[in-house]
Amino acid sequence: MSAHTEDASPYADAIQAPGTDESVWEAWPGWERLREFPLPPRGRVVVVAAHPDDEVLGLGGTLARLAAAGHALTVVSVTDGEGSHPDSRVVRPCELVRVRAEETRTALGRLGAGEAEIVRLHVPDSGVDRHEEEVRRALVPLCSGAVLVAAPWTGDVHSDHEAAGRAARAAAREAGAPFAEYPVWMWHWARPEDSRVPWERAAQVTLSAGVQARKRHAVDAFASQIRPLGPGAAEAAVLPPEELAHHLRPREVVFL
């Protein structure tokens, strides 16, 4: 999950603007209307992430449940997340590539998914839309035979997330694999009953207290994103506590 985007409005404006407090989402009675998403039959599940950590923030609890149920997991990091702190004087992009790769492996281990296959496409951070067809082609063979392909929501209002979602949706369709989308930034810029959100396609994955704890521990692995890298504004945390709160609730949401 990277807040940095080179795109003009609405991307930068929606993400940089003050977001919806988690207490507003907690109080939403609409949760009761969301159907439960049934986990797929045992097989291989492919989870696509635009940046290392998207898969844990958006679907970490689901990944933990899938791993516990014996599914084989393939996690695809489209970018290496090197652009999360573009003006930092503390850490260089090449160093972030290594750090974020290690954080992902640690997080998956904490979810009980340490055996997951991790595939990195090395697409430039903030440039997925310019490589969308390349991403689609790389994903088609990975999606072949999968019982589920999940990717960032194509309406997430982050260009990398949307492009990764479109490429994954096209690849899943070509491979004949079931497809679902998971929102990440949506919880920040949207509000309950927001007309921009396809609630009619939404389903939730309920997380037990144990799975929630696993996910919280996994999210803590992304120190480069949830803690400041240094004292300057360019080293600020991408995911402050008020943002993380959206991803630590007892449910996850997918769009079918």
Side-chain angles (χ1 to χ4, degrees):
M1 181 172 179
S2 173
H4 176 64
T5 175
E6 296 176 354
D7 294 80
S9 180
Y11 296 116
D13 289 349
I15 291 174
Q16 300 301 333
T20 301
D21 192 84
E22 177 59 14
S23 63
V24 176
W25 287 110
E26 280 182 4
W28 182 42
W31 295 119
E32 298 178 4
R33 300 195 301 268
L34 298 187
R35 55 189 156 162
E36 185 71 16
F37 176 65
L39 296 185
R42 185 177 296 190
R44 191 167 57 84
V45 175
V46 178
V47 179
V48 178
H51 313 98
D53 74 3
D54 290 334
E55 74 287 349
V56 174
L57 293 167
L59 276 189
T62 305
L63 282 167
R65 287 188 56 184
L66 289 167
H71 290 73
L73 300 175
T74 297
V75 174
V76 183
S77 289
V78 176
T79 79
D80 292 319
E82 73 278 7
S84 66
H85 294 79
D87 301 315
S88 174
R89 297 183 178 182
V90 174
V91 62
R92 295 176 298 171
C94 61
E95 294 169 329
L96 274 173
V97 170
R98 176 185 56 78
V99 167
R100 298 194 71 177
E102 292 174 353
E103 290 173 343
T104 297
R105 177 54 75 187
T106 298
L108 290 173
R110 292 177 179 182
L111 291 173
E115 299 301 312
E117 174 190 26
I118 299 177
V119 178
R120 304 191 182 280
L121 300 186
H122 306 298
V123 171
D125 196 349
S126 299
V128 180
D129 58 336
R130 297 191 295 273
H131 298 267
E132 194 171 322
E133 176 58 19
E134 171 189 335
V135 173
R136 184 199 66 78
R137 289 197 302 268
L139 290 176
V140 170
L142 295 174
C143 294
S144 179
V147 296
L148 177 67
V149 176
W153 177 39
T154 55
D156 210 33
V157 189
H158 187 298
S159 62
D160 278 355
H161 291 202
E162 294 186 356
R166 289 191 300 266
R169 181 175 59 194
R173 183 185 300 120
E174 184 171 340
F179 179 70
E181 304 172 275
Y182 60 91
V184 180
W185 278 110
M186 184 199 84
W187 306 113
H188 173 83
W189 55 258
R191 295 184 66 84
E193 309 295 345
D194 198 311
S195 62
R196 296 169 293 179
V197 177
W199 298 114
E200 72 282 356
R201 294 198 288 119
Q204 61 182 322
V205 179
T206 301
L207 309 181
S208 68
V211 170
Q212 274 187 274
R214 273 188 175 274
K215 181 176 181 179
R216 188 176 299 109
H217 192 37
V219 169
D220 283 344
F222 295 104
S224 72
Q225 305 300 295
I226 67 176
R227 300 184 184 92
L229 297 177
E235 281 75 48
V238 174
L239 296 165
E242 61 269 21
E243 191 64 42
L244 288 176
H246 300 316
H247 304 288
L248 299 176
R249 54 171 80 118
R251 61 178 60 86
E252 292 170 344
V253 169
V254 295
F255 300 125
L256 305 177

